[in-house]
Amino acid sequence: MFVSEDVSLLLSLCLSCLILIFSLKMILGKSGNLPPGPKPLPLLGNYLQLRKGDLLKTLQELREKYGDVYTIYMGPRPVVVMSGYKTVKEVLVDRADDFLARGDIPTFDSSYQNYGIAFTSDMHRWRELRRFSLATLRGFGMGKRSIEDRIQEEAACLVAELKKTKETFLDPRTCINKAPGNVIFSLMFGNRHEYDDEELLNVLDIMYQTLLTVSSPWGQLYDMFPRVMRHVPGHHQHIFHNMEKLLLYVEDRVKQNQKTLDPSNPRDYVDTFLIRMEKEKKDPKTEFTLRNLVFSTLQIFFAGVETMSTTLTYALLILLKYPHVVDEVHKEIDRVIGRNRSPNLQDRSRMPYTEAVIHEIQRFVDLVPFGLPRKTTKDVEFHGYAIPKDTNIFPMLTTALKDPDCFPYPTEFNPQNFLDRNGQFVKNDAFMPLAAGKRICLGEALVRMELFLFLVTILQNFSFKSPGAIEEVDVTPQVTGLGSFPKPYKMAFIPR
Ligand code: HEM
């Protein structure tokens, strides 16, 4: 009896202390003169406002109240939310160096621990790995003719696979994801897999399930309260098991490369990294370590496969909903390419409508609506506020992509967003689905190549059919968190 009273007393005391420390920290501490925002509760932050399920909608409502620059508390952690094309551009491009560090993503950080290119906030590490990774992927053809052949081959395999489905209704993701998966396999590990290969299917499935959970309310809850949620059972626990499996897989693949490495003839990203590791093995400050190799490889692999698969899956859903757009693209393909040869990248400049459709798909899909979080690299003055070093920033890409000052039809799917009166393609600086500036998506060049070659090859060969009425096709996302995912759906591919 006495013991349990003592324990309760001790617990209440600890909790009161924690609340007091947190409140004092928020009032006096390192929060500088942060932009205004909804009043946070001790420990919970703005959880009560943000928990309503649709985080994106809540952030948009808060923007209406507090403006383009405001602060929310994800649990105890302040995040400055930046909205609108002009503000997002200021953060990512004009003042890039001030906001260049990676922000916290606890769901991933607990596995990556600040290693690897994409999730590190260590600026020396990031610079070294970024420079190396860009040069290496370019060396293996990213953005160049040499990888064009590889993507064309993969597109042809995809068409063969889709023909095998014999016009039955199916979830297209199960076929589509293998093509971008194989492009990344080739770049990172130097090989591709047959579409029924268990290894390929397994890795793709684990990555998809992981990202879906990271973006779900479970993942969002973990990102707010990692210390508590780590010990609570729930779907978020799958993330860590899956990450463990993926890391083991990459470690194994690295070992296979090590065994067969010929230093005078690097076959892929992993080989090139291993050679650099050997060269710098006596430098105690080198970033070319086994850890950075495994983590960078997994991060590029993950980023390259999942983003492309989801964009392509979403693209087909949108095209199913807008058959008149498909008709126009078909006409342009027949006029410029015909049906007897593979599309190539030179065709792009002669296909303004298709180019506009692909841009509009990326704009409408809005795959990474909050952007990947950034962090301030020093104390920063911004719009009259003082944002301390290491404060998390959400550069809300969605608010640039759907900025009514930049696009005539910001909320609807309409290729006219990228066409002038003469039907010519027009660029738009607010088009930033891959972010912008110094830390723009590493795969930028690959994304442009893959989207054009995969989508145009599919459209050259097929029309699409929905199992129900077109009005029932729902293009609103299933979950919107770190990533935006389409609801699962079925369609049939009808050979043309
Ligand atoms: C449609 C597909 C894609 C989308 C929408 C996308 C989007 C993004 C975004 C928004 C970022 C965050 C940039 C920032 O810090 O502000 C990013 C980073 C990154 N992306 Fe992509 N991405 C795509 C495809 C790819 C591909 C194919 C690759 C593979 C090469 C890739 C590799 C990366 C890497 C490694 C980073 C981290 C860059 C860094 O921190 O320096 N992405 N991507």
Side-chain angles (χ1 to χ4, degrees), residues 73-130:
Y73 282 79
M74 304 280 287
R77 183 164 51 98
V79 178
V80 179
V81 182
M82 308 284 194
S83 302
Y85 163 63
K86 278 193 185 145
T87 310
V88 172
K89 178 174 166 276
E90 249 182 294
V91 168
L92 297 178
V93 183
D94 305 339
R95 299 189 53 186
D97 288 327
D98 296 349
F99 299 97
L100 205 51
R102 178 64 66 226
D104 301 323
I105 311 178
T107 36
F108 282 129
D109 295 341
S110 44
S111 303
Y112 292 134
Q113 298 164 33
N114 210 17
Y115 288 95
I117 178 180
F119 294 93
T120 183
S121 55
D122 177 325
M123 295 319 292
H124 175 257
R125 177 169 298 158
W126 173 73
R127 274 197 189 89
E128 290 279 290
L129 295 175
R130 171 102 188 178

Side-chain angles (χ1 to χ4, degrees), residues 92 102 117-119 126 130 137 142 184 187 296 299-301 303-305 307-308 311 362 367-368 371-374 395 397 432-436 438-444 446-447 450-451:
L92 297 178
R102 178 64 66 226
I117 178 180
F119 294 93
W126 173 73
R130 171 102 188 178
L137 293 180
M142 186 172 84
I184 290 282
L187 281 168
S296 292
Q299 289 166 10
I300 296 173
F301 197 72
V305 176
T307 50
M308 287 302 307
T311 304
Q362 279 188 276
L367 193 76
V368 195
L372 278 195
R374 297 285 189 89
L397 301 182
M432 43 173 82
L434 313 177
K438 291 184 181 174
R439 206 163 182 170
I440 190 173
C441 170
L442 184 84
E444 188 193 6
L446 195 59
V447 173
E450 285 194 52
L451 280 182

Side-chain angles (χ1 to χ4, degrees), residues 131-151:
R131 201 177 304 133
F132 168 83
S133 302
L134 253 188
T136 304
L137 293 180
R138 280 191 188 138
F140 286 107
M142 186 172 84
K144 294 194 199 152
R145 287 298 301 260
S146 48
I147 203 151
E148 184 175 352
D149 297 347
R150 189 68 273 287
I151 302 174

